[in-house]
Amino acid sequence: MKKRIPGAIVLLIILYLALFPVPIEPVAWQAPIDGGFVAHFAANDRLARARTFSIAPYTGPEDITSGVDGQLYATTHEGVILRLDGRGGVDVFADVGGRPLGIELDSDGSLLVANAYKGIQRVSHEGNVSTVVDEVDGLALVYADDLAIGLDGVIYFSEASTKFGAQMSGGTYEASLLDINEHGGHGFVVAFDPRDASTRVLLDGLNFANGVAISDDQSFLLIAETGAYRILKHWLTGPRAGETEVILDNLPAFPDNINTGNDGRFWIGFVSPRSAALDALSDKPLLRKVVQRLPAFMRPQAQPHSQVIAINGDGEVLLNLQDAQARFPALTGVFETPSALYFTALFGGQIAYIDKSRL
């Protein structure tokens, strides 16, 4: 005899899926049709020769930069900045707390960090930590994500989401899922001038404002708008100063960090392929709310994928590096030195790298 689910239980499930409060208020939009990994994004094995070194017990090396001492410095999930000698040697340089994401070298030799829980921080040569910016227009920063520094000292940084703060949402990854599912345009990009401590919002209404990089000639910024699958170019100087254009649209994956590389290149990490289910529900906000009520394992999540690309300032794809076996999942970006590429990641306790002569 078949067991029947009591009608009352079915009714409770329906009511839960229809009415249970969730933190998102999804906004209807039309996701562009995903062209997939073809043409400039076609699958390959150019990362197959990459090697790794461990940073255990630390994890999530989101971003890397080079210090004045020539060593590398990486942010981690545990809130410490690691110093790396590039050959596997690792030690803790500073404890900044929170969740440091983007990191850059300032002109005075100190390190600037975009800390998702604490705002923009400065780390001195001795490892001392101070706060540079923790609010904009009187509102506390709740998800500082990435940053770039102009030659004039101006700090450009992204606030990924003003609604879904990283700490209050249970972490940076958890907050990103909420913001991308809602698609409410809660991100912005700010210019902070340390000479007078002034802040100026350059772009707002972004769907998860992520990577930020500045061109070598200081004329423009590139910004990754993760939730819209695109790269924006914001002009800082010249006749188009203040204007913004889309230079790379309908990407097949979620773009994360943008790092300025050598010879005018910009490196972009693809943290995960797009979600077909999320795209299909883009114009169905009520159903996206239902999805949010499902157990976490049933909602769209980041999928294993290993890919980074290099572009020029016009959005032309110069290099497309992948590992078909996704041995280096959730890559957030690339730090380029004269001889090697170092790959940063959202998760895991290792850093992948490859000698550029082996590409």
Side-chain angles (χ1 to χ4, degrees):
M1 227 178 132
K2 292 183 179 178
K3 292 184 178 179
R4 295 184 178 179
I5 301 175
I9 295 179
V10 173
L11 179 60
L12 286 174
I13 292 173
I14 292 173
L15 289 174
Y16 170 80
L17 292 175
L19 300 175
F20 190 80
V22 290
I24 66 170
E25 289 294 338
V27 175
W29 70 295
Q30 190 60 63
I33 296 173
D34 184 2
F37 295 98
V38 298
H40 297 302
F41 309 107
N44 62 61
D45 279 312
R46 299 188 69 182
L47 289 184
R49 297 179 179 178
R51 301 175 181 177
T52 64
F53 61 85
S54 173
I55 60 169
Y58 304 101
T59 60
E62 170 82 16
D63 198 12
I64 291 175
T65 195
S66 180
V68 291
D69 56 3
Q71 298 198 75
L72 304 179
Y73 292 81
T75 56
T76 67
H77 184 271
E78 290 74 22
V80 302
I81 307 300
L82 297 180
R83 180 165 46 199
L84 322 166
D85 65 12
R87 298 180 298 278
V90 179
D91 69 282
V92 174
F93 174 66
D95 187 344
V96 298
R99 179 39 169 134
L101 298 174
I103 186 169
E104 295 289 341
L105 176 68
D106 203 358
S107 59
D108 65 355
S110 64
L111 300 172
L112 286 175
V113 176
N115 192 316
Y117 292 7
K118 297 177 176 291
I120 306 302
Q121 301 170 298
R122 186 180 301 278
V123 184
S124 72
H125 298 269
E126 296 77 26
N128 298 318
V129 183
S130 59
T131 299
V132 178
V133 191
D134 59 5
E135 65 175 43
V136 172
D137 295 335
L139 297 176
L141 295 172
V142 295
Y143 201 146
D145 195 308
D146 197 18
L147 75 165
I149 308 170
L151 294 178
D152 58 359
V154 174
I155 304 166
Y156 302 94
F157 67 91
S158 57
E159 171 84 329
S161 176
T162 57
K163 180 175 180 179
F164 301 105
Q167 186 169 17
M168 68 184 71
S169 299
T172 54
Y173 176 62
E174 292 78 5
S176 70
L177 295 178
L178 291 171
D179 192 86
I180 289 169
N181 194 5
E182 175 163 304
H183 203 84
H186 304 299
F188 60 76
V189 175
V190 175
F192 171 78
D193 192 334
R195 292 169 293 193
D196 58 8
S198 62
T199 57
R200 180 165 52 97
V201 175
L202 302 180
L203 287 169
D204 60 8
L206 302 181
N207 285 290
F208 204 77
N210 205 324
V212 179
I214 190 168
S215 62
D216 290 338
D217 67 1
Q218 310 291 288
S219 66
F220 62 85
L221 298 176
L222 293 189
I223 300 114
E225 189 178 8
T226 302
Y229 320 130
R230 63 186 188 178
I231 305 300
L232 307 176
K233 182 177 185 176
H234 180 80
W235 291 93
L236 298 172
T237 63
R240 299 188 61 187
E243 295 182 16
T244 305
E245 61 181 304
V246 178
I247 62 166
L248 203 52
D249 204 3
N250 195 18
L251 293 167
F254 292 99
D256 202 294
N257 289 349
I258 304 181
N259 294 96
T260 304
N262 297 342
D263 303 317
R265 286 189 292 268
F266 297 89
W267 289 97
I268 302 168
F270 283 162
V271 74
S272 171
R274 283 165 57 171
S275 165
L278 193 61
D279 281 355
L281 296 176
S282 64
D283 60 347
K284 300 174 179 62
L286 292 180
L287 287 180
R288 300 214 310 273
K289 214 167 186 179
V290 170
V291 168
Q292 190 61 43
R293 297 184 178 106
L294 296 173
F297 74 91
M298 297 179 67
R299 300 178 214 144
Q301 303 283 335
Q303 299 301 310
H305 186 64
S306 300
Q307 183 179 17
V308 298
I309 62 171
I311 65 173
N312 63 19
D314 296 320
E316 177 187 358
V317 178
L318 306 175
L319 290 166
N320 166 38
L321 310 181
Q322 298 187 44
D323 174 56
Q325 297 183 37
R327 286 167 292 190
F328 318 110
L331 294 180
T332 56
V334 178
F335 180 71
E336 181 176 7
T337 71
S339 61
L341 302 177
Y342 293 86
F343 304 97
T344 53
L346 191 62
F347 309 116
Q350 62 183 15
I351 291 175
Y353 66 99
I354 191 168
D355 190 310
K356 290 197 290 189
S357 66
R358 294 170 62 85
L359 288 175

